Amino acid sequence: MTEEPRWLTDREQRAWQAYRRMFLLLNAQLSRDLGQDSGLSEPDYDVLSSLGASPRHRRRISDLADHMLWSRSRLSHHLARMEKRGLVMREECDTDGRGAIVALTEDGLLTLDKAAPLHVESVRRHFIDLLDPEQIDVFAGIGERVVNRLTLTGDDA
């Protein structure tokens, strides 16, 4: 015998639909603003900001792929496009001949320095400034709880 689906209540459906619409609309707006303000795509900015926050603005490619939840192949293709634009460069890993490092170039760091304030302003305008401090804390808690659940492995998942 199969169990009946646990259909969403009206309240749960409202929360789910609000999240889905917000996610789609907010990501689209932030992506539009990023492109207009800095000429970067969202994946470009994700790579630049991840490297910008890394020690010496460099990171093993495999670690960056894991951090960004991208396949190594996807990241490698994207890095090749960014290399052609002079934003990043690849280096050999001194400690592991099989590993490779990606680093921000001077142009990449300048591009990030110009893009970051505009991107943060977009995030504030379209999300943060619409919420009061309690709502920000609740939203952060919800996001952290879902992320923690989805990143568990094995029997705990």
Side-chain angles (χ1 to χ4, degrees):
M1 180 165 84
T2 60
E3 287 187 39
E4 268 300 304
R6 292 179 45 218
W7 299 111
L8 299 180
T9 66
D10 290 343
R11 181 182 190 191
E12 292 165 339
Q13 184 70 18
R14 179 177 168 236
W16 175 243
Q17 290 301 321
Y19 163 76
R20 291 289 298 151
R21 298 256 320 139
M22 179 196 71
F23 175 81
L24 295 170
L25 292 169
L26 183 58
N27 279 349
Q29 184 63 57
L30 294 177
S31 183
R32 244 185 330 273
D33 287 354
L34 191 58
Q36 290 171 356
D37 293 342
S38 64
L40 295 172
S41 68
E42 189 175 352
D44 289 340
Y45 188 81
D46 289 344
V47 169
L48 293 176
S49 62
S50 292
L51 290 174
S54 298
R56 299 181 339 138
H57 306 303
R58 53 187 24 85
R59 198 166 188 163
R60 286 181 64 102
I61 291 175
S62 58
D63 293 341
L64 182 59
D66 291 344
H67 172 75
M68 294 179 65
L69 304 175
W70 285 14
S71 70
R72 283 165 183 71
S73 174
R74 177 184 179 195
L75 180 59
S76 182
H77 288 293
H78 195 81
L79 291 176
R81 292 188 294 274
M82 292 180 76
E83 278 181 293
K84 288 179 184 173
R85 292 166 39 214
L87 300 174
V88 299
M89 63 182 179
R90 295 180 209 229
E91 304 170 345
E92 290 186 19
C93 183
D94 294 336
T95 59
D96 179 2
R98 297 176 301 153
I101 304 287
V102 63
L104 282 179
T105 62
E106 191 173 316
D107 282 348
L109 189 55
L110 288 172
T111 299
L112 177 60
D113 287 345
K114 288 179 186 174
L118 300 171
H119 182 60
V120 168
E121 182 52 40
S122 177
V123 170
R124 286 195 159 284
R125 184 173 56 254
H126 300 299
F127 181 64
I128 296 296
D129 290 347
L130 302 176
L131 306 175
D132 63 38
E134 183 180 325
Q135 290 171 320
I136 290 171
D137 290 341
V138 168
F139 196 90
I142 291 167
E144 290 163 355
R145 183 174 187 157
V146 172
V147 167
N148 287 339
R149 173 72 166 129
L150 294 173
T151 57
L152 289 175
T153 57
D155 296 330
D156 294 332

